[in-house]
Amino acid sequence: MGEAQDLTYEAWEAVDGRSRYALARRALKISPFCADAWLILSERPSLSARDRRTFLERAVKAGELALGADGFTEYAGHFWGFLETRPYMRARHSLAEDLWQAGDREAAITHLREMLALNPCDNQGLRYVLLGWLMATEDHAAVEAHLQEHSDEASAFMGYAQALYAFRRNGDDGAARTAAREAWHCNSHIPKLLAGTKRARFEDTGHYTWGGEDEAAYYLEEYGFAWKGTPGAIDWLVEVTKGLIPEPRGRGPVQ
């Protein structure tokens, strides 16, 4: 299995698709349980939507078989923290995204929830993806429960969602204003981007600056629809946060 996995690492470094897919096929000849190899083959542009789904399902199944029942028992609660679990987690995330894009939202959300149960530390940032998906399905009770679960997290993504849902619950009250100000200190650019008084600039480089314009643009792309769909919310946010002084932040990965 190690030799097959090494070939997938080599495939990811390949400069052209033909070499990448050839290396993935070599890896599968060594071990059909190499989830990353199936995942690489699922990315071929020539595949139909049905074939892509098949390859993604094979990737997840290969990851399951590679880990075995003992692996799931041993690593439960700490997935991603062990290298052996990562191919499975990568494959399952890709399958969830494919299901979401195809309109099977319930199945996609179920995958993310089960993955978060396997890895509560959430190295993949799936809690942010799940937040956006729950907002998009307008499952407000599920959004509220998700926010409550992550109520101690100081991030722009959770913070602005907390503010929005506080505003939705009770309008312009003290709790909503406090949430808005706390979110603003995580990223001060978001209200202006939501209001359209500032242009969004985002390049998908794999990283964003915490508190930066690139993080704000990413937020707008992923969650802006929820603010725009809440009457009065953006104007309220701009009014509540005007005149505040931002705090400097560090740098972190796009999840």
Side-chain angles (χ1 to χ4, degrees):
M1 186 65 181
E3 183 181 353
Q5 190 62 42
D6 287 342
L7 283 172
T8 65
Y9 295 146
E10 187 177 343
W12 281 327
E13 297 296 325
V15 295
D16 64 277
R18 179 175 294 182
S19 299
R20 186 178 306 113
Y21 306 138
L23 287 165
R25 286 190 289 269
R26 281 177 56 192
L28 289 173
K29 286 182 179 179
I30 297 170
S31 172
F33 302 146
C34 186
D36 280 333
W38 289 112
L39 188 57
I40 289 169
L41 292 178
S42 77
E43 297 170 352
R44 290 174 294 172
S46 60
L47 290 179
S48 66
R50 175 179 293 182
D51 287 343
R52 172 174 166 77
R53 175 71 57 79
T54 297
F55 276 97
L56 289 172
E57 290 172 343
R58 288 177 181 175
V60 173
K61 189 63 178 179
E64 289 178 356
L65 293 172
L67 288 171
D70 290 344
F72 275 85
T73 300
E74 179 181 357
Y75 301 130
H78 303 283
F79 269 58
W80 197 265
F82 296 88
L83 290 177
E84 297 92 329
T85 67
R86 294 184 184 184
Y88 169 77
M89 296 293 274
R90 282 190 284 264
R92 197 164 182 187
H93 184 195
S94 292
L95 176 58
E97 292 281 359
D98 189 70
L99 287 164
W100 179 263
Q101 292 300 324
D104 194 347
R105 295 183 165 190
E106 183 177 351
I109 287 171
T110 296
H111 276 292
L112 291 197
R113 282 179 163 158
E114 291 179 357
M115 291 175 72
L116 286 168
L118 290 171
N119 180 31
C121 291
D122 190 25
N123 308 75
Q124 293 172 281
L126 301 180
R127 62 193 182 278
Y128 304 127
V129 180
L130 180 58
L131 174 62
W133 288 1
L134 294 174
M135 286 180 170
T137 58
E138 298 187 349
D139 188 344
H140 302 310
V143 173
E144 294 272 11
H146 189 65
L147 292 174
Q148 181 61 36
E149 184 178 354
H150 300 283
S151 60
D152 60 345
E153 178 177 323
S155 72
F157 307 122
M158 292 296 175
Y160 275 99
Q162 294 278 8
L164 175 61
Y165 275 78
F167 177 77
R168 283 185 173 186
R169 280 194 305 272
N170 299 312
D172 182 20
D173 69 352
R177 283 177 168 257
T178 296
R181 290 171 182 141
E182 289 177 353
W184 189 90
H185 282 295
C186 292
N187 191 302
S188 61
H189 303 285
I190 288 174
K192 291 181 180 179
L193 289 188
L194 288 171
T197 58
K198 189 173 188 176
R199 290 188 60 185
R201 298 179 182 179
F202 174 65
E203 295 181 13
D204 191 2
T205 62
H207 294 82
Y208 58 75
T209 305
W210 290 354
E213 293 184 36
D214 50 353
E215 182 191 52
Y218 181 75
Y219 179 90
L220 180 66
E221 181 178 338
E222 296 297 318
Y223 308 102
F225 70 91
W227 284 91
K228 294 173 183 177
T230 305
I234 294 176
D235 290 341
W236 166 80
L237 179 66
V238 171
E239 176 64 25
V240 169
T241 58
K242 69 180 181 181
L244 297 178
I245 301 174
E247 299 173 354
R249 304 281 295 197
R251 186 172 178 80
V254 171
Q255 303 288 356

